[in-house]
Amino acid sequence: IRTSTSSEMPAASHDIGWSHWVEKNFRTPKRFSEGIKAVFPQGGEVVSLSHPSLRWQNADNDVFYYEVQVSKDCSFDTNPQTAKTSVYWELIHGGMTKPENSYQIPQSVSLQPNTLYCWRVRPRIQGDGKVVEWSKVFSFRTGEKVP
């Protein structure tokens, strides 16, 4: 890092106002998923929409990027050798969704009627270089006839 006293923006690289280079390190704070709670749908709630909006809140309110997974398999197995069903997985910016911290099931995903689906989220920030654990698993059930 270095700074400049030059009034020109941007300062030329050869400007005499530049300070000497200084090396600085910083880390973002460690993040956890324990503070993530389902807002809608909550445990096993029946949804009548074919493409519901999953919503959560996080006690850590300065986290914006999340990974979201949705599947009929509550273990979210993605191993091609052992997986029994699809796991939908997406990275989103929770501050840009309406409402905040939500995930709209895409039109391209066809939910089956009268079926249990599981979902979970995790912060994407990796302050110490380690992947953050997933939140607890939340679930919902589709109605008899999904519109």
mmCIF file of all heavy atoms in Angstrom, residues 59-90:
data_model
loop_
_atom_site.group_PDB
_atom_site.id
_atom_site.type_symbol
_atom_site.label_atom_id
_atom_site.label_comp_id
_atom_site.label_asym_id
_atom_site.label_seq_id
_atom_site.Cartn_x
_atom_site.Cartn_y
_atom_site.Cartn_z
ATOM 1 N N ALA A 59 -28.198 -13.353 12.123
ATOM 2 C CA ALA A 59 -27.799 -12.484 13.232
ATOM 3 C C ALA A 59 -26.565 -11.665 12.854
ATOM 4 O O ALA A 59 -26.351 -10.582 13.374
ATOM 5 C CB ALA A 59 -27.526 -13.320 14.479
ATOM 6 N N ASP A 60 -25.772 -12.174 11.932
ATOM 7 C CA ASP A 60 -24.587 -11.486 11.419
ATOM 8 C C ASP A 60 -25.050 -10.612 10.246
ATOM 9 O O ASP A 60 -25.031 -11.037 9.097
ATOM 10 C CB ASP A 60 -23.583 -12.541 10.958
ATOM 11 C CG ASP A 60 -22.146 -12.131 11.161
ATOM 12 O OD1 ASP A 60 -21.906 -10.965 11.497
ATOM 13 O OD2 ASP A 60 -21.282 -12.994 10.979
ATOM 14 N N ASN A 61 -25.499 -9.390 10.524
ATOM 15 C CA ASN A 61 -26.175 -8.586 9.500
ATOM 16 C C ASN A 61 -25.257 -7.887 8.505
ATOM 17 O O ASN A 61 -25.739 -7.143 7.654
ATOM 18 C CB ASN A 61 -27.127 -7.575 10.150
ATOM 19 C CG ASN A 61 -26.393 -6.571 11.019
ATOM 20 O OD1 ASN A 61 -25.174 -6.557 11.084
ATOM 21 N ND2 ASN A 61 -27.146 -5.745 11.709
ATOM 22 N N ASP A 62 -23.947 -8.129 8.559
ATOM 23 C CA ASP A 62 -23.075 -7.551 7.541
ATOM 24 C C ASP A 62 -22.577 -8.612 6.558
ATOM 25 O O ASP A 62 -21.591 -8.425 5.861
ATOM 26 C CB ASP A 62 -21.919 -6.766 8.160
ATOM 27 C CG ASP A 62 -21.013 -7.616 9.030
ATOM 28 O OD1 ASP A 62 -21.402 -8.741 9.376
ATOM 29 O OD2 ASP A 62 -19.909 -7.152 9.369
ATOM 30 N N VAL A 63 -23.291 -9.729 6.486
ATOM 31 C CA VAL A 63 -23.015 -10.764 5.489
ATOM 32 C C VAL A 63 -24.019 -10.590 4.358
ATOM 33 O O VAL A 63 -25.216 -10.428 4.608
ATOM 34 C CB VAL A 63 -23.144 -12.184 6.104
ATOM 35 C CG1 VAL A 63 -23.034 -13.254 5.034
ATOM 36 C CG2 VAL A 63 -22.090 -12.381 7.179
ATOM 37 N N PHE A 64 -23.533 -10.611 3.111
ATOM 38 C CA PHE A 64 -24.430 -10.395 1.979
ATOM 39 C C PHE A 64 -24.430 -11.540 0.976
ATOM 40 O O PHE A 64 -25.439 -11.796 0.346
ATOM 41 C CB PHE A 64 -24.082 -9.090 1.253
ATOM 42 C CG PHE A 64 -24.218 -7.890 2.140
ATOM 43 C CD1 PHE A 64 -23.104 -7.295 2.709
ATOM 44 C CD2 PHE A 64 -25.469 -7.386 2.453
ATOM 45 C CE1 PHE A 64 -23.237 -6.206 3.557
ATOM 46 C CE2 PHE A 64 -25.610 -6.293 3.292
ATOM 47 C CZ PHE A 64 -24.484 -5.705 3.846
ATOM 48 N N TYR A 65 -23.306 -12.215 0.809
ATOM 49 C CA TYR A 65 -23.253 -13.310 -0.159
ATOM 50 C C TYR A 65 -23.547 -14.637 0.534
ATOM 51 O O TYR A 65 -23.003 -14.929 1.599
ATOM 52 C CB TYR A 65 -21.884 -13.380 -0.843
ATOM 53 C CG TYR A 65 -21.753 -12.353 -1.926
ATOM 54 C CD1 TYR A 65 -21.118 -11.145 -1.692
ATOM 55 C CD2 TYR A 65 -22.294 -12.583 -3.191
ATOM 56 C CE1 TYR A 65 -21.018 -10.191 -2.682
ATOM 57 C CE2 TYR A 65 -22.200 -11.632 -4.192
ATOM 58 C CZ TYR A 65 -21.562 -10.439 -3.931
ATOM 59 O OH TYR A 65 -21.469 -9.501 -4.910
ATOM 60 N N TYR A 66 -24.419 -15.410 -0.106
ATOM 61 C CA TYR A 66 -24.824 -16.704 0.429
ATOM 62 C C TYR A 66 -24.844 -17.742 -0.673
ATOM 63 O O TYR A 66 -25.150 -17.444 -1.824
ATOM 64 C CB TYR A 66 -26.241 -16.637 1.016
ATOM 65 C CG TYR A 66 -26.355 -15.782 2.236
ATOM 66 C CD1 TYR A 66 -26.664 -14.432 2.137
ATOM 67 C CD2 TYR A 66 -26.153 -16.319 3.502
ATOM 68 C CE1 TYR A 66 -26.773 -13.643 3.270
ATOM 69 C CE2 TYR A 66 -26.264 -15.536 4.638
ATOM 70 C CZ TYR A 66 -26.577 -14.191 4.513
ATOM 71 O OH TYR A 66 -26.675 -13.417 5.634
ATOM 72 N N GLU A 67 -24.569 -18.973 -0.282
ATOM 73 C CA GLU A 67 -24.835 -20.124 -1.129
ATOM 74 C C GLU A 67 -26.150 -20.711 -0.624
ATOM 75 O O GLU A 67 -26.375 -20.781 0.588
ATOM 76 C CB GLU A 67 -23.724 -21.161 -1.013
ATOM 77 C CG GLU A 67 -22.431 -20.722 -1.664
ATOM 78 C CD GLU A 67 -21.341 -21.759 -1.499
ATOM 79 O OE1 GLU A 67 -21.333 -22.738 -2.273
ATOM 80 O OE2 GLU A 67 -20.531 -21.584 -0.578
ATOM 81 N N VAL A 68 -27.000 -21.114 -1.564
ATOM 82 C CA VAL A 68 -28.302 -21.689 -1.221
ATOM 83 C C VAL A 68 -28.399 -23.048 -1.896
ATOM 84 O O VAL A 68 -28.043 -23.191 -3.071
ATOM 85 C CB VAL A 68 -29.459 -20.785 -1.720
ATOM 86 C CG1 VAL A 68 -30.806 -21.393 -1.358
ATOM 87 C CG2 VAL A 68 -29.319 -19.381 -1.185
ATOM 88 N N GLN A 69 -28.874 -24.043 -1.178
ATOM 89 C CA GLN A 69 -29.126 -25.366 -1.744
ATOM 90 C C GLN A 69 -30.573 -25.756 -1.470
ATOM 91 O O GLN A 69 -31.092 -25.494 -0.377
ATOM 92 C CB GLN A 69 -28.209 -26.428 -1.129
ATOM 93 C CG GLN A 69 -26.784 -26.353 -1.596
ATOM 94 C CD GLN A 69 -25.950 -27.509 -1.061
ATOM 95 O OE1 GLN A 69 -26.222 -28.068 0.000
ATOM 96 N NE2 GLN A 69 -24.917 -27.868 -1.803
ATOM 97 N N VAL A 70 -31.198 -26.390 -2.473
ATOM 98 C CA VAL A 70 -32.567 -26.904 -2.354
ATOM 99 C C VAL A 70 -32.576 -28.295 -2.974
ATOM 100 O O VAL A 70 -32.033 -28.498 -4.063
ATOM 101 C CB VAL A 70 -33.580 -26.006 -3.103
ATOM 102 C CG1 VAL A 70 -34.994 -26.559 -2.978
ATOM 103 C CG2 VAL A 70 -33.505 -24.575 -2.612
ATOM 104 N N SER A 71 -33.214 -29.249 -2.293
ATOM 105 C CA SER A 71 -33.251 -30.611 -2.819
ATOM 106 C C SER A 71 -34.339 -31.421 -2.129
ATOM 107 O O SER A 71 -34.772 -31.098 -1.023
ATOM 108 C CB SER A 71 -31.897 -31.294 -2.589
ATOM 109 O OG SER A 71 -31.896 -32.600 -3.121
ATOM 110 N N LYS A 72 -34.747 -32.514 -2.780
ATOM 111 C CA LYS A 72 -35.612 -33.500 -2.133
ATOM 112 C C LYS A 72 -34.783 -34.384 -1.205
ATOM 113 O O LYS A 72 -35.323 -35.076 -0.362
ATOM 114 C CB LYS A 72 -36.324 -34.370 -3.171
ATOM 115 C CG LYS A 72 -37.354 -33.605 -3.989
ATOM 116 C CD LYS A 72 -38.157 -34.528 -4.875
ATOM 117 C CE LYS A 72 -37.296 -35.084 -5.983
ATOM 118 N NZ LYS A 72 -38.054 -35.906 -6.946
ATOM 119 N N ASP A 73 -33.467 -34.346 -1.373
ATOM 120 C CA ASP A 73 -32.550 -35.119 -0.541
ATOM 121 C C ASP A 73 -32.039 -34.216 0.586
ATOM 122 O O ASP A 73 -31.257 -33.293 0.353
ATOM 123 C CB ASP A 73 -31.379 -35.620 -1.386
ATOM 124 C CG ASP A 73 -30.295 -36.303 -0.577
ATOM 125 O OD1 ASP A 73 -30.534 -36.621 0.612
ATOM 126 O OD2 ASP A 73 -29.205 -36.515 -1.128
ATOM 127 N N CYS A 74 -32.471 -34.479 1.804
ATOM 128 C CA CYS A 74 -32.110 -33.623 2.944
ATOM 129 C C CYS A 74 -30.657 -33.787 3.375
ATOM 130 O O CYS A 74 -30.186 -33.058 4.241
ATOM 131 C CB CYS A 74 -33.044 -33.881 4.114
ATOM 132 S SG CYS A 74 -34.743 -33.358 3.736
ATOM 133 N N SER A 75 -29.927 -34.733 2.756
ATOM 134 C CA SER A 75 -28.488 -34.840 3.018
ATOM 135 C C SER A 75 -27.688 -34.082 1.951
ATOM 136 O O SER A 75 -26.478 -33.956 2.066
ATOM 137 C CB SER A 75 -28.046 -36.302 3.075
ATOM 138 O OG SER A 75 -28.099 -36.884 1.779
ATOM 139 N N PHE A 76 -28.365 -33.599 0.909
ATOM 140 C CA PHE A 76 -27.757 -32.787 -0.157
ATOM 141 C C PHE A 76 -26.559 -33.489 -0.799
ATOM 142 O O PHE A 76 -25.529 -32.882 -1.048
ATOM 143 C CB PHE A 76 -27.358 -31.404 0.362
ATOM 144 C CG PHE A 76 -28.523 -30.621 0.894
ATOM 145 C CD1 PHE A 76 -28.862 -30.688 2.232
ATOM 146 C CD2 PHE A 76 -29.295 -29.845 0.053
ATOM 147 C CE1 PHE A 76 -29.950 -29.980 2.736
ATOM 148 C CE2 PHE A 76 -30.381 -29.131 0.535
ATOM 149 C CZ PHE A 76 -30.699 -29.204 1.885
ATOM 150 N N ASP A 77 -26.723 -34.768 -1.083
ATOM 151 C CA ASP A 77 -25.645 -35.561 -1.684
ATOM 152 C C ASP A 77 -25.433 -35.129 -3.135
ATOM 153 O O ASP A 77 -26.343 -35.236 -3.957
ATOM 154 C CB ASP A 77 -26.008 -37.047 -1.615
ATOM 155 C CG ASP A 77 -24.897 -37.956 -2.110
ATOM 156 O OD1 ASP A 77 -23.825 -37.455 -2.514
ATOM 157 O OD2 ASP A 77 -25.104 -39.184 -2.093
ATOM 158 N N THR A 78 -24.234 -34.653 -3.453
ATOM 159 C CA THR A 78 -23.910 -34.223 -4.821
ATOM 160 C C THR A 78 -22.904 -35.155 -5.495
ATOM 161 O O THR A 78 -22.446 -34.866 -6.595
ATOM 162 C CB THR A 78 -23.343 -32.778 -4.824
ATOM 163 O OG1 THR A 78 -22.193 -32.731 -3.979
ATOM 164 C CG2 THR A 78 -24.394 -31.783 -4.360
ATOM 165 N N ASN A 79 -22.581 -36.258 -4.861
ATOM 166 C CA ASN A 79 -21.649 -37.224 -5.439
ATOM 167 C C ASN A 79 -22.353 -37.964 -6.583
ATOM 168 O O ASN A 79 -23.371 -38.624 -6.354
ATOM 169 C CB ASN A 79 -21.199 -38.214 -4.354
ATOM 170 C CG ASN A 79 -20.223 -39.243 -4.870
ATOM 171 O OD1 ASN A 79 -20.220 -39.619 -6.039
ATOM 172 N ND2 ASN A 79 -19.372 -39.722 -3.974
ATOM 173 N N PRO A 80 -21.827 -37.876 -7.801
ATOM 174 C CA PRO A 80 -22.484 -38.532 -8.947
ATOM 175 C C PRO A 80 -22.680 -40.043 -8.756
ATOM 176 O O PRO A 80 -23.587 -40.630 -9.335
ATOM 177 C CB PRO A 80 -21.546 -38.266 -10.120
ATOM 178 C CG PRO A 80 -20.728 -37.092 -9.704
ATOM 179 C CD PRO A 80 -20.626 -37.157 -8.212
ATOM 180 N N GLN A 81 -21.841 -40.678 -7.954
ATOM 181 C CA GLN A 81 -21.940 -42.121 -7.742
ATOM 182 C C GLN A 81 -23.071 -42.499 -6.775
ATOM 183 O O GLN A 81 -23.593 -43.606 -6.849
ATOM 184 C CB GLN A 81 -20.612 -42.661 -7.177
ATOM 185 C CG GLN A 81 -19.414 -42.370 -8.039
ATOM 186 C CD GLN A 81 -19.505 -43.010 -9.412
ATOM 187 O OE1 GLN A 81 -19.983 -44.137 -9.548
ATOM 188 N NE2 GLN A 81 -19.071 -42.293 -10.433
ATOM 189 N N THR A 82 -23.437 -41.589 -5.870
ATOM 190 C CA THR A 82 -24.393 -41.954 -4.822
ATOM 191 C C THR A 82 -25.649 -41.072 -4.764
ATOM 192 O O THR A 82 -26.602 -41.431 -4.077
ATOM 193 C CB THR A 82 -23.705 -41.905 -3.445
ATOM 194 O OG1 THR A 82 -23.169 -40.590 -3.243
ATOM 195 C CG2 THR A 82 -22.577 -42.933 -3.350
ATOM 196 N N ALA A 83 -25.648 -39.937 -5.459
ATOM 197 C CA ALA A 83 -26.794 -39.015 -5.393
ATOM 198 C C ALA A 83 -28.053 -39.670 -5.941
ATOM 199 O O ALA A 83 -28.013 -40.363 -6.957
ATOM 200 C CB ALA A 83 -26.484 -37.739 -6.151
ATOM 201 N N LYS A 84 -29.175 -39.424 -5.250
ATOM 202 C CA LYS A 84 -30.458 -40.002 -5.675
ATOM 203 C C LYS A 84 -31.348 -38.988 -6.375
ATOM 204 O O LYS A 84 -32.319 -39.348 -7.016
ATOM 205 C CB LYS A 84 -31.178 -40.572 -4.460
ATOM 206 C CG LYS A 84 -30.438 -41.731 -3.823
ATOM 207 C CD LYS A 84 -31.155 -42.220 -2.580
ATOM 208 C CE LYS A 84 -30.490 -43.398 -1.958
ATOM 209 N NZ LYS A 84 -29.265 -43.130 -1.258
ATOM 210 N N THR A 85 -31.023 -37.705 -6.222
ATOM 211 C CA THR A 85 -31.831 -36.647 -6.822
ATOM 212 C C THR A 85 -30.974 -35.394 -6.997
ATOM 213 O O THR A 85 -29.856 -35.328 -6.496
ATOM 214 C CB THR A 85 -33.080 -36.357 -5.961
ATOM 215 O OG1 THR A 85 -33.953 -35.484 -6.662
ATOM 216 C CG2 THR A 85 -32.709 -35.754 -4.619
ATOM 217 N N SER A 86 -31.514 -34.418 -7.667
ATOM 218 C CA SER A 86 -30.781 -33.175 -7.929
ATOM 219 C C SER A 86 -30.662 -32.317 -6.680
ATOM 220 O O SER A 86 -31.532 -32.329 -5.811
ATOM 221 C CB SER A 86 -31.510 -32.345 -8.995
ATOM 222 O OG SER A 86 -31.615 -33.074 -10.184
ATOM 223 N N VAL A 87 -29.574 -31.567 -6.627
ATOM 224 C CA VAL A 87 -29.388 -30.531 -5.613
ATOM 225 C C VAL A 87 -29.217 -29.226 -6.378
ATOM 226 O O VAL A 87 -28.289 -29.082 -7.161
ATOM 227 C CB VAL A 87 -28.152 -30.800 -4.725
ATOM 228 C CG1 VAL A 87 -27.924 -29.637 -3.768
ATOM 229 C CG2 VAL A 87 -28.298 -32.114 -3.962
ATOM 230 N N TYR A 88 -30.160 -28.311 -6.190
ATOM 231 C CA TYR A 88 -30.065 -26.999 -6.820
ATOM 232 C C TYR A 88 -29.187 -26.139 -5.926
ATOM 233 O O TYR A 88 -29.431 -26.044 -4.723
ATOM 234 C CB TYR A 88 -31.455 -26.389 -7.007
ATOM 235 C CG TYR A 88 -32.363 -27.296 -7.801
ATOM 236 C CD1 TYR A 88 -33.284 -28.108 -7.172
ATOM 237 C CD2 TYR A 88 -32.254 -27.357 -9.183
ATOM 238 C CE1 TYR A 88 -34.104 -28.964 -7.891
ATOM 239 C CE2 TYR A 88 -33.059 -28.216 -9.920
ATOM 240 C CZ TYR A 88 -33.977 -29.017 -9.262
ATOM 241 O OH TYR A 88 -34.761 -29.862 -9.990
ATOM 242 N N TRP A 89 -28.170 -25.508 -6.512
ATOM 243 C CA TRP A 89 -27.153 -24.807 -5.727
ATOM 244 C C TRP A 89 -26.855 -23.490 -6.418
ATOM 245 O O TRP A 89 -26.541 -23.461 -7.606
ATOM 246 C CB TRP A 89 -25.917 -25.672 -5.679
ATOM 247 C CG TRP A 89 -24.865 -25.348 -4.688
ATOM 248 C CD1 TRP A 89 -24.614 -24.166 -4.064
ATOM 249 C CD2 TRP A 89 -23.876 -26.256 -4.212
ATOM 250 N NE1 TRP A 89 -23.539 -24.280 -3.231
ATOM 251 C CE2 TRP A 89 -23.057 -25.566 -3.306
ATOM 252 C CE3 TRP A 89 -23.577 -27.587 -4.483
ATOM 253 C CZ2 TRP A 89 -21.978 -26.158 -2.658
ATOM 254 C CZ3 TRP A 89 -22.504 -28.164 -3.840
ATOM 255 C CH2 TRP A 89 -21.729 -27.460 -2.937
ATOM 256 N N GLU A 90 -26.978 -22.400 -5.693
ATOM 257 C CA GLU A 90 -26.765 -21.089 -6.314
ATOM 258 C C GLU A 90 -26.096 -20.126 -5.334
ATOM 259 O O GLU A 90 -26.313 -20.200 -4.131
ATOM 260 C CB GLU A 90 -28.111 -20.522 -6.765
ATOM 261 C CG GLU A 90 -27.962 -19.391 -7.739
ATOM 262 C CD GLU A 90 -29.250 -19.093 -8.476
ATOM 263 O OE1 GLU A 90 -30.100 -19.995 -8.618
ATOM 264 O OE2 GLU A 90 -29.404 -17.944 -8.902
#
